Amino acid sequence: MRLATIKLNGKEQAGIVTPKGVFPIAMLNAAKGTAWKEEMMELIQSQEVPGLTAWYNKGGKEELETLPGLVPQDKVVYGPLYRNPKRIFGIGLNYRDHAGDIGMAPPKGFPGSFFKQADTLIGPEDEIHIPKMKEAQKTTAEAELGIILGKDCRDVAEEDWESVIVGYTTILDMTEESILKGNDYVDGNPRYLTIVKNFPTFFSFGPELVTPDEVPDVLKLEIQSVHNGEIHAKNTVDHMIHQPPKLISLHSKIQGWFAGDVLSTGTPRAFHILDGDQAECRIYGPDGFSMRPLVNPVVDLKLHPEKE
């Protein structure tokens, strides 16, 4: 099953993605007398997604075709999957090629990890803003596979990692690279990483949350960094230095996880974005699998201060 958050009647509300559009869960409840949560974060935190998925796979998919309330695809306006995750957790330099982009060796032992603030968050088609401060001379975008945590948990074994997630999504993570590269390094880990990762609009995710049953083999997913419609770089999850089972398990033993936490797993390579550009994340997999692309336009606030 695939879920999305759409903007409808002045609200952002969760819906089930169908071939013809998005079916708001509020309309599903109205038609069937059910009481599923109607906002994405609530749906995740209440751990209702697995139950909804089971209904969908056991005839719900066909039933939706007979119910009123579908928002046709040409009328759908996507929002971010949700607005206020407790934590957004990023993995830096998780492919060797990306480490080479900024002249660093890939981390050894533990992954290069960092937190992002929830107020960096935007959704599909929202503008990425290049900062107006004069020191910000090179902003980069990074296409990544996102993993959404489905329950509060600690000390998860690697073999159990899928039991604590609720789905996957597309992500664009931004970095103010000129500040990152222009300052000192400590033990190969940039001390300014928090600064360069947390400008407003520097994290986009959505439009779809894809439940694990839809993904044929997560290790074979191909992540593509796409710049102005052209593929800048691509790589598969099995080429990550630290793969999802380890990332979920390791961090569960450090800070633990909360339902709705977002894990951004690293990019094949970053690309420099400029005013008027378009940044995009595409993800493909075996047997014709694909996720709906995540696309964001770029605006430089130095050139358009009125946009701030």
Side-chain angles (χ1 to χ4, degrees):
M1 185 178 67
R2 299 180 183 222
L3 297 166
T5 290
I6 62 173
K7 300 177 181 181
L8 185 65
N9 299 326
K11 298 193 304 182
E12 292 183 347
Q13 49 188 296
I16 299 171
V17 178
T18 78
K20 296 180 180 179
V22 178
F23 202 102
I25 293 176
M27 298 303 296
L28 176 63
N29 286 339
K32 290 181 59 66
T34 49
W36 303 106
K37 302 296 184 187
E38 297 176 2
E39 294 183 0
M40 189 72 74
M41 179 62 96
E42 293 182 351
L43 196 65
I44 293 169
Q45 290 178 328
S46 63
Q47 298 185 37
E48 292 185 4
V49 174
L52 188 61
T53 303
W55 168 81
Y56 178 85
N57 289 335
K58 293 177 181 177
K61 178 180 180 181
E62 292 73 23
E63 189 175 355
L64 285 178
E65 297 178 2
T66 70
L67 299 177
L70 178 76
V71 180
Q73 189 58 57
D74 62 352
K75 302 293 185 183
V76 170
V77 179
Y78 291 101
L81 289 180
Y82 41 93
R83 291 283 177 183
N84 290 296
K86 286 190 176 181
R87 293 176 303 197
I88 301 169
F89 204 73
I91 307 299
L93 310 182
N94 206 17
Y95 292 91
R96 288 176 176 82
D97 286 348
H98 184 212
D101 286 343
I102 59 173
M104 293 180 64
K108 296 180 180 179
F110 281 76
S113 306
F114 56 90
F115 284 108
K116 296 196 72 132
Q117 308 270 20
D119 60 4
T120 64
L121 195 151
I122 57 174
E125 300 297 338
D126 290 338
E127 293 174 347
I128 298 167
H129 287 168
I130 297 174
K132 67 179 182 180
M133 63 188 302
K134 61 181 177 57
E135 293 86 354
Q137 294 297 319
K138 185 181 181 183
T139 299
T140 57
E142 303 157 16
E144 310 196 10
L145 171 69
I147 302 177
I148 309 299
L149 275 294
K151 60 178 66 174
D152 297 358
C153 56
R154 289 194 66 88
D155 298 320
V156 179
E158 284 194 30
E159 59 268 25
D160 296 330
W161 75 280
E162 286 185 298
S163 71
V164 301
I165 72 169
V166 73
Y168 304 97
T169 192
T170 43
I171 284 174
L172 284 166
D173 179 32
M174 273 55 72
T175 305
E176 185 31 63
E177 194 173 297
S178 53
I179 296 174
L180 179 67
K181 295 180 71 173
N183 289 285
D184 296 333
Y185 294 83
V186 177
D187 297 329
N189 188 18
R191 68 175 73 182
Y192 296 99
L193 196 56
T194 299
I195 294 173
V196 303
K197 286 288 188 181
N198 280 287
F199 287 94
T201 77
F202 266 31
F203 189 84
S204 179
F205 82 143
E208 294 180 345
L209 185 157
V210 181
T211 55
D213 59 291
E214 286 238 351
V215 179
D217 184 349
V218 67
L219 296 182
K220 296 301 181 184
L221 294 181
E222 180 179 274
I223 291 79
Q224 298 183 355
S225 290
V226 181
H227 186 200
N228 294 332
E230 298 292 328
I231 298 173
H232 176 77
K234 60 184 179 180
N235 214 328
T236 51
V237 173
D238 58 359
H239 288 141
M240 288 180 177
I241 300 168
H242 304 285
Q243 296 177 5
K246 178 180 179 180
L247 293 173
I248 295 293
S249 177
L250 175 63
H251 291 97
S252 78
K253 297 171 184 176
I254 300 170
Q255 86 280 351
W257 294 109
F258 292 111
D261 280 356
V262 184
L263 172 65
S264 194
T265 57
T267 186
R269 297 190 81 170
F271 52 93
H272 185 190
I273 51 175
L274 299 170
D275 185 70
D277 282 357
Q278 180 173 276
E280 184 175 351
C281 174
R282 300 175 187 168
I283 297 181
Y284 297 96
D287 305 322
F289 174 85
S290 65
M291 296 188 188
R292 181 174 293 276
L294 172 63
V295 183
N296 292 97
V298 180
V299 172
D300 191 337
L301 295 182
K302 299 179 189 67
L303 302 176
H304 303 279
E306 75 281 359
K307 292 278 191 174
E308 189 175 15

